[in-house]
Amino acid sequence: MNPRHATASQWYASTFRDMGRYPESLEIVLRAREFDPLSGIIGVNTGLTYALKGDISSAEEQFNRVSRAFYREAGLDVAARF
């Protein structure tokens, strides 16, 4: 697998996450996010991995980042919400 392929890396990270191997999953999904920082699914999977790992504050921050990007892309002003 090409580690620079963000989508493949995201799915690979999901496999580790589903096996409960959160540190490895997080390392891979964060690398995927470096290559595609605007990907919503990579952002959601990053947040989910943080949450399952028990890092709730990082998960919340990541989910808020994804939400802001979604609303911004949709042309909606939600700065007051987050």
Side-chain angles (χ1 to χ4, degrees):
M1 180 187 77
N2 181 348
R4 292 178 182 241
H5 191 282
T7 302
S9 294
Q10 177 263 313
W11 284 110
Y12 190 52
S14 295
T15 301
F16 279 100
R17 186 193 65 227
D18 292 345
M19 292 189 299
R21 295 172 61 180
Y22 306 126
E24 293 104 322
S25 176
L26 194 56
E27 179 182 336
I28 296 165
V29 80
L30 288 173
R31 192 174 333 119
R33 194 175 70 179
E34 288 177 21
F35 292 109
D36 191 356
L38 301 179
S39 170
I41 192 65
I42 291 174
V44 168
N45 278 299
T46 302
L48 181 58
T49 304
Y50 276 128
L52 291 172
K53 186 176 177 255
D55 188 348
I56 303 305
S57 63
S58 292
E60 183 177 24
E61 180 182 321
Q62 181 61 37
F63 288 134
N64 284 337
R65 183 180 300 137
V66 171
S67 294
R68 282 191 304 271
F70 172 79
Y71 284 108
R72 189 172 39 250
E73 188 172 311
L76 302 172
D77 182 16
V78 293
R81 292 185 187 194
F82 303 100

